Amino acid sequence: MSINVESKKTQATQSETQDYIKKVLQLIEQKEISKEDAQWVTRETVENFRNHVNPGFLEYRKTVTKDTQFAAVEWSDQDSCFTDVNGKKYIDCLGGFGIYNVGHRNPKVVKAVTDQLQRQALHSQDLLDPLRAMLAKILADITPGDLKYSFFTNSGTESVEAALKLAKMYSDRFTIISTTKSFHGKSLGSLSATAKGMFRKPFIPLIPGVRHVPFGDVDMMRKTFESCALVGEDVAAVLLEPIQGEGGVILPPQDYLKQVRALCDEYDALLILDEVQTGMGRTGKMFASELYDVVPDIICLAKAFGGGVMPAGAVVANEKVFKSWFDNPFMHTTTFGGNPLACAAAIATIDVLLEEKLPERAAEVGEYFLNGLREVANEHQDKVLEIRGQGLMIGIEFHKDEVGYEFSKALFDKGILVAGTLINSKTIRIEPSLTIQLDEVDTVINAFKEVLPTLQA
């Protein structure tokens, strides 16, 4: 068996591999791409997804477009848009699931990362690294209430994992309350709090002690607190998205978050707010918790935290909670979290958000966007169930999944990228950069108006 494997691997010689690598690096270096190179890139991308990444992605991507055999291959991006390898430009209303709050390749963020790269890319892991300390101070300044200490991660699911471990370190309790339609990530701990059965079932049993109650139902949450206390499984923390993103852009009932905060205080439990998608100005405030005048014990950040340039995330907690890691800071660590490039990107991102008042802009442009979409949808209530949102986090919910799929394909053909949410596939998300121009918003609204009459109810 080992001889056969070795024989198969040597079919591609080292020289051929090196030639292939050089061609790819040359393409990366080029500012423009020729028609012939574009065809080669498309062919190689499709074949390598099929043979070396995951062929399932090809079937998924085919559903996005009617006019090409395979999905478009993206090549470059700027501002609110990206361009495919053949030069077709798209308005990006998916936004990488919400990572491009300050736009694609924001020049200030790119400059900060490039400048830092000229000095040091990664840190030694042993000495004190300055940008991590400075970013933590900035977060203490801008986050709500008494949030003070930060732990840095590379992604949203890592932020949730860290928050769950921090909550368990804080007390001897292990029960976590999450909600239905929630999405907190897909690594084992965060998946335990995520609600969608399709993602959970293959990996059951998951982390014990996680209970799900209906989002927005404070009475059921109170009963769960009471039941847990009666049987000696007191609640360690409640984990919530202030606005459910993957659940379909679900806004909480009035005063819901305040009532949950009061329950946590009453039962001495922590409140963890997952602001991976709602944070960094998306909803019209720097953090969605500010919309509801609620201060969590722990807040989780990622997605747009790295400015759409670097993968970056953070967990910020108050001193009461975070001090459980003071005695041994090695209880939870990461090699790449809080690296100098990611910290430079995050610092520059916060600067752009504050200097250009992008949270405030998200509130204004989001209201304009929502009103325009709703005006169009009023004439097609047989197809559109509801349009809802906050800031530039907008969901268009159709009566049927199939209508949503056809809608996203039709808009893609018109040069607009949208997609469904992971928990509620009937809902199409609109999450453009917070820098999107009003004429681009008008283009999307007009396309919505053109496409709706063509869809079968």
Side-chain angles (χ1 to χ4, degrees):
M1 177 63 72
S2 62
I3 295 175
N4 290 337
V5 170
E6 180 66 24
S7 174
K8 180 180 178 182
K9 285 292 183 182
T10 55
Q11 288 176 6
T13 66
Q14 181 174 331
S15 176
E16 289 171 338
T17 301
Q18 287 179 309
D19 288 343
Y20 189 88
I21 290 170
K22 291 188 188 314
K23 183 174 179 65
V24 174
L25 290 175
Q26 287 169 0
L27 283 167
I28 293 171
E29 185 180 4
Q30 290 174 199
K31 295 189 182 303
E32 303 291 337
I33 187 169
S34 68
K35 182 177 180 181
E36 293 74 20
D37 282 341
Q39 291 172 345
W40 184 85
V41 168
T42 301
R43 183 176 66 252
E44 286 296 304
T45 302
V46 171
E47 289 181 2
N48 291 336
F49 260 88
R50 178 183 294 114
N51 296 325
H52 303 296
V53 181
N54 188 329
F57 279 117
L58 293 180
E59 294 304 313
Y60 167 71
R61 299 301 176 193
K62 278 184 183 179
T63 67
V64 175
T65 179
K66 304 174 189 173
D67 297 335
T68 59
Q69 184 180 1
F70 294 104
V73 175
E74 60 186 295
W75 190 246
S76 63
D77 63 346
Q78 189 172 3
D79 300 328
S80 305
C81 302
F82 68 90
T83 303
D84 71 19
V85 74
N86 295 308
K88 182 176 179 179
K89 192 174 183 179
Y90 299 81
I91 298 174
D92 185 4
C93 284
L94 174 59
F97 304 111
I99 65 176
Y100 293 113
N101 288 21
V102 297
H104 290 256
R105 284 192 305 120
N106 183 286
K108 293 180 181 178
V109 180
V110 171
K111 183 180 186 303
V113 173
T114 304
D115 289 345
Q116 177 60 37
L117 184 59
Q118 302 306 315
R119 183 183 304 107
Q120 183 186 35
L122 300 175
H123 52 77
S124 70
Q125 306 292 331
D126 195 41
L127 279 69
L128 299 178
D129 43 305
L131 293 192
R132 184 173 6 171
M134 294 166 186
L135 177 56
K137 192 270 183 191
I138 292 167
L139 283 175
D141 288 344
I142 68 169
T143 48
D146 58 351
L147 298 178
K148 183 178 180 183
Y149 286 92
S150 292
F151 175 85
F152 295 108
T153 69
N154 305 284
S155 66
T157 194
E158 290 181 47
S159 293
V160 172
E161 294 281 354
L164 292 173
K165 289 181 72 174
L166 189 54
K168 289 193 173 191
M169 280 286 291
Y170 171 71
S171 70
D172 59 356
R173 302 177 181 184
F174 61 86
T175 302
I176 305 292
I177 297 180
S178 183
T179 58
T180 55
K181 295 187 178 179
S182 65
F183 184 86
H184 299 290
K186 293 178 184 169
S187 53
L188 205 59
S190 58
L191 181 60
S192 303
T194 291
K196 191 166 186 175
M198 181 182 75
F199 297 145
R200 294 167 52 85
K201 284 182 180 178
F203 308 105
I204 291 174
L206 295 166
I207 303 301
V210 179
R211 303 192 180 203
H212 290 83
V213 302
F215 181 75
D217 189 339
V218 74
D219 292 331
M220 181 59 74
M221 186 166 288
R222 173 173 284 281
K223 290 175 182 176
T224 305
F225 265 98
E226 292 171 350
S227 298
C228 289
L230 284 170
V231 299
E233 297 178 2
D234 296 89
V235 175
V238 174
L239 173 60
L240 286 176
E241 300 159 89
I243 298 171
Q244 289 192 323
E246 302 304 328
V249 190
I250 307 297
L251 277 68
Q254 187 69 29
D255 291 334
Y256 172 67
L257 291 179
K258 281 191 171 184
Q259 291 172 318
V260 173
R261 172 75 271 182
L263 271 175
C264 290
D265 292 340
E266 181 181 345
Y267 284 87
D268 196 24
L270 302 181
L271 176 60
I272 306 170
L273 289 186
D274 179 346
E275 294 232 31
V276 167
Q277 194 163 163
T278 58
M280 312 313 294
R282 170 63 56 186
T283 64
K285 294 287 188 181
M286 186 66 82
F287 306 102
S289 53
E290 297 175 81
L291 292 168
Y292 304 103
D293 194 25
V294 169
V295 176
D297 298 290
I298 305 172
I299 194 169
C300 302
L301 304 172
K303 290 194 183 294
F305 187 64
V309 174
M310 292 295 298
V315 174
V316 192
N318 57 40
E319 185 169 359
K320 174 187 74 173
V321 174
F322 202 93
K323 68 181 182 181
S324 60
W325 282 355
F326 284 0
D327 289 343
N328 187 352
F330 295 99
M331 287 301 294
H332 187 68
T333 57
T334 167
T335 300
F336 295 111
N339 71 75
L341 298 180
C343 288
I347 291 167
T349 297
I350 295 168
D351 184 50
V352 172
L353 288 167
L354 294 173
E355 188 172 82
E356 300 182 14
K357 299 186 184 302
L358 291 185
E360 293 89 338
R361 190 176 190 280
E364 295 171 7
V365 177
E367 184 177 5
Y368 178 85
F369 214 151
L370 270 170
N371 290 338
L373 293 171
R374 284 170 175 162
E375 185 176 340
V376 174
N378 283 338
E379 301 176 13
H380 299 276
Q381 296 183 19
D382 59 325
K383 299 168 187 173
V384 181
L385 179 64
E386 185 183 14
I387 296 179
R388 55 184 175 265
Q390 178 67 46
L392 280 169
M393 185 175 183
I394 298 170
I396 305 172
E397 183 165 1
F398 295 94
H399 288 283
K400 298 178 182 177
D401 290 350
E402 295 77 11
V403 180
Y405 294 141
E406 290 303 313
F407 173 74
S408 64
K409 287 190 288 182
L411 252 64
F412 191 77
D413 289 337
K414 290 181 175 292
I416 300 166
L417 178 64
V418 297
T421 57
L422 290 176
I423 304 295
N424 183 354
S425 54
K426 291 190 297 184
T427 300
I428 298 296
R429 77 176 83 216
I430 303 287
E431 288 190 39
S433 70
L434 310 188
T435 61
I436 189 170
Q437 299 300 305
L438 289 179
D439 63 331
E440 293 172 322
V441 174
D442 288 336
T443 298
V444 177
I445 293 170
N446 289 333
F448 185 45
K449 187 174 183 178
E450 293 170 9
V451 165
L452 269 185
T454 70
L455 303 176
Q456 296 296 318

